[in-house]
Amino acid sequence: AMKRLNGPLSTVHADTTSLPGYSFLENESLFFDDVHDSKMLENQATDIRSAAYIPLGDHGVFTAGSAEVRQFDAVTRELADLLAATTEAALDRVSRETQLREQDRELQQQNNQLIALNRVNEIIREIDQALVQAETRTEIDHAVCELLTTNDRFSFAWIGVVDPITNTIEPRAWAGNEQGYLDSVSIDVDNSATEPAGRTAATMDVTMVTNVASELRQEAWRKEAVSRDFLSALSVPLAYDEFSYGMLTVYAQTQDAFNETSREVLAELGETIASATSAIERKNALLTTSVTRFEFEIDDPNFVLSRLAQEAGCTLSYQGGVQQTDVGTYVFVTVNGANMEVVEQAATELVAIDQVQRISVDGGEGVLRLRLSQPFLALELADHGAVLRSATVDKMGTVLVVDVPESVDFRPITDLVTESFSKVDLRSKQTLDRSSTQDLYSKFLERLTDRQLEVLQTAYYSGFFESPRESTGEEVAATLGISPPAFYQHARTVQRKLFTTLFDDIGVPMTSAMI
């Protein structure tokens, strides 16, 4: 009836230019014997004569009208006010109930999230304990998979690594209700693939599949997964310091089993697993007697030693002296074929070198201690159990010698070297046995503090141990910024620790000449 009298009902802005807007904003009831007498009537063509506008709190305005004039007497007005008040109360109740339901939903959601978070934290704590106790990479992989699937936490979990020959994912460890899934699918490393492990291996990013059953007939792996009740999946890379140790992939029996919280937590877990694996490899590298020695020839003008040798016109040789400190990375390099002052000047002009310090000079040869502003390859290799044995730069080019322990996978190491320089050629590869020296070396280094090692290296490269000495103890002490008595005390302490390792720990046998 209202539409027949007034025509289509339009939206009214909440301002004082219209009757409903004025009533709403001013919270004032308006009654008209003839609404056409009002200057604020927006629809002059309306057939409504008697009209009422009663505000309903925050909900809006109650409007009533009639084609006859003077229809709102005292009784009708009271009835309209009562009806509007009842309506407002009902709308308030609905709002409160809606708000309470929304609060209940939010509380339930927060409770579910808290339960899930506690569950995840429990898993992480158990895995952290397992990582601390593990002594091999195999133990880490199996412990992680077992803990993720125990007590029906997840249906199935596995860790795989990339086979560089076939470019597929090879399983290393798994646990849970696998049901032959890994035998039924071939997982290629492909960023266009949707199998979680394959995509993660290609992108090195987290892959989450909330509904495995979608697009079921378009991808073979989904059919195999659904038939085993794997309805959602999450795959995270196991990466640390740009090294990849594989992919961890977890499957659940329900859709949307993984939310953003579990995604973030499992991604952090992947980094923790990779870090623990790296630490295990570094530890095992110290105990490994067999190493593979790689000799690389590089051609990269951005390599700091290559650039310095070119600028100074000299031959540089790094033979293993590197120190990591709070203020930077220090390396010892031997200089040949150029005036030391020329080399020092060239070094100070390079942005990659923060500080140059002359350690010793003997004829046409000398030793410099350089503080580098950028990470040095030796430290990056050491983080993963490999050793930069030497780096030699001359007119013929730059040659790097890298030792990789038998317990460390050499492929990531060679990849690191290849990616660090613009042009790299592998010149040779050989296996060496250092069983006669490794035990002594590792035991001796365990006894030294970082400061003692710094003093020992500086004294060695200064020629302090040569006969005749190329540098005095006072000169070495000045280089280190310590007093001569402090230097001699460090030197005696280091010698004592070396002899203790040699005679007490290793037990060097006595010869007839010694008797």
Side-chain angles (χ1 to χ4, degrees):
M2 178 72 78
K3 289 182 181 180
R4 286 196 303 271
L5 291 174
N6 187 72
L9 298 176
S10 60
T11 299
V12 177
H13 291 288
D15 56 33
T16 58
T17 62
S18 66
L19 292 172
Y22 181 88
S23 175
F24 178 75
L25 290 177
E26 298 299 330
N27 194 31
E28 180 181 341
S29 297
L30 304 176
F31 291 91
F32 296 94
D33 289 338
D34 189 345
V35 75
H36 285 266
D37 293 337
S38 174
K39 296 180 180 180
M40 288 190 293
L41 180 64
E42 65 274 11
N43 182 10
Q44 296 293 332
T46 181
D47 290 332
I48 294 176
R49 306 306 294 266
S50 299
Y53 300 91
I54 306 174
L56 301 176
D58 296 333
H59 303 289
V61 177
F62 174 71
T63 304
S66 171
E68 304 294 332
V69 297
R70 291 185 295 274
Q71 291 297 303
F72 287 96
D73 55 19
V75 175
T76 308
R77 289 189 181 192
E78 185 178 354
L79 178 61
D81 283 333
L82 180 60
L83 179 58
T86 304
T87 303
E88 181 179 352
L91 292 173
D92 285 341
R93 176 179 55 79
V94 170
S95 295
R96 287 195 300 272
E97 291 177 352
T98 301
Q99 186 177 7
L100 287 174
R101 285 195 296 270
E102 183 64 29
Q103 290 176 348
D104 287 341
R105 282 194 294 268
E106 290 179 359
L107 289 174
Q108 184 61 44
Q109 184 179 9
Q110 292 174 358
N111 187 51
N112 292 338
Q113 291 175 348
L114 184 59
I115 293 174
L117 186 58
N118 289 337
R119 179 181 175 219
V120 170
N121 286 336
E122 179 185 2
I123 298 174
I124 298 302
R125 284 196 300 270
E126 292 181 7
I127 291 178
D128 285 342
Q129 293 175 359
L131 295 180
V132 171
Q133 298 172 0
E135 296 184 356
T136 66
R137 180 175 177 178
T138 300
E139 287 183 20
I140 289 177
D141 292 344
H142 284 284
V144 169
C145 294
E146 289 287 348
L147 290 172
L148 285 172
T149 55
T150 189
N151 297 328
D152 296 325
R153 287 167 171 167
F154 297 105
S155 297
F156 171 48
W158 68 289
I159 291 177
V161 295
V162 177
D163 186 334
I165 298 177
T166 62
N167 203 37
T168 58
I169 311 297
E170 294 296 326
R172 276 182 58 91
W174 58 89
N177 195 18
E178 189 262 346
Q179 305 176 70
Y181 175 76
L182 296 176
D183 291 327
S184 65
V185 295
S186 177
I187 304 175
D188 297 324
V189 179
D190 185 359
N191 59 7
S192 63
T194 54
E195 211 294 329
R199 180 179 289 273
T200 295
T203 63
M204 292 308 295
D205 198 4
V206 178
T207 301
M208 184 164 63
V209 180
T210 58
N211 183 10
V212 176
S214 65
E215 302 178 1
L216 181 63
R217 289 165 181 77
Q218 298 180 22
E219 299 163 358
W221 77 272
R222 292 180 181 266
K223 178 180 178 181
E224 298 293 342
V226 170
S227 66
R228 294 167 174 82
D229 291 329
F230 302 156
L231 300 184
S232 57
L234 182 71
S235 182
V236 299
L238 306 181
Y240 170 73
D241 194 20
E242 299 183 0
F243 267 58
S244 174
Y245 294 95
M247 285 66 58
L248 167 64
T249 309
V250 183
Y251 302 82
Q253 288 184 329
T254 59
Q255 296 179 9
D256 301 311
F258 304 99
N259 55 23
E260 285 302 317
T261 299
S262 58
R263 174 192 177 104
E264 294 175 3
V265 171
L266 288 175
E268 292 178 2
L269 175 62
E271 296 178 4
T272 302
I273 296 170
S275 177
T277 303
S278 176
I280 288 287
E281 290 194 342
R282 290 197 302 271
K283 175 183 176 182
N284 292 338
L286 293 174
L287 305 176
T288 302
T289 60
S290 179
V291 300
T292 302
R293 174 162 293 180
F294 294 87
E295 188 172 295
F296 300 95
E297 182 174 358
I298 71 169
D299 182 8
D300 191 339
N302 292 321
F303 181 43
V304 59
L305 298 187
S306 300
R307 193 186 315 171
L308 178 57
Q310 182 180 4
E311 294 291 334
C314 65
T315 297
L316 294 179
S317 177
Y318 162 84
Q319 298 295 332
V322 61
Q323 300 167 354
Q324 178 78 60
T325 69
D326 294 338
V327 296
T329 301
Y330 290 91
V331 297
F332 292 90
V333 293
T334 302
V335 181
N336 279 287
N339 183 281
M340 288 293 288
E341 294 182 355
V342 174
V343 181
E344 290 178 66
Q345 181 60 36
T348 58
E349 295 175 356
L350 294 180
V351 177
I353 299 176
D354 286 337
Q355 186 184 79
V356 183
Q357 188 175 21
R358 184 185 301 186
I359 300 299
S360 67
V361 178
D362 182 15
E365 180 179 300
V367 175
L368 293 178
R369 185 172 182 246
L370 308 177
R371 190 175 78 192
L372 307 181
S373 61
Q374 300 174 348
F376 192 56
L377 179 64
L379 295 175
E380 297 181 60
L381 291 172
D383 282 340
H384 302 283
V387 178
L388 177 60
R389 188 61 60 189
S390 68
T392 305
V393 186
D394 55 24
K395 294 184 294 184
M396 303 300 294
T398 302
V399 177
L400 307 179
V401 177
V402 179
D403 287 350
V404 182
E406 185 181 34
S407 61
V408 177
D409 186 359
F410 68 85
R411 286 171 295 194
I413 303 298
T414 56
D415 288 343
L416 174 60
V417 176
T418 302
E419 294 169 1
S420 298
F421 304 102
S422 56
K423 182 179 179 182
V424 179
D425 292 323
L426 178 61
R427 290 177 48 171
S428 66
K429 173 184 174 183
Q430 57 179 321
T431 301
L432 304 177
D433 187 2
R434 47 180 197 176
S435 56
S436 60
T437 60
Q438 182 63 13
D439 196 26
L440 172 64
Y441 177 75
S442 59
K443 286 181 176 295
F444 177 55
L445 287 184
E446 287 177 358
R447 294 180 180 274
L448 296 186
T449 65
D450 292 340
R451 184 58 167 168
Q452 290 168 352
L453 181 59
E454 179 185 8
V455 171
L456 178 64
Q457 286 182 322
T458 305
Y460 175 78
Y461 287 109
S462 298
F464 176 78
F465 298 106
E466 299 294 332
S467 181
R469 285 177 175 167
E470 299 173 2
S471 298
T472 66
E474 288 73 15
E475 291 172 336
V476 177
T479 299
L480 291 165
I482 60 177
S483 65
F487 165 72
Y488 286 113
Q489 179 65 36
H490 280 303
R492 285 192 294 271
T493 301
V494 170
Q495 290 172 348
R496 185 178 68 253
K497 290 184 177 181
L498 174 60
F499 295 146
T500 299
T501 303
L502 181 63
F503 295 115
D504 292 346
D505 295 348
I506 305 300
V508 176
M510 298 179 64
T511 65
S512 57
M514 294 173 64
I515 296 174

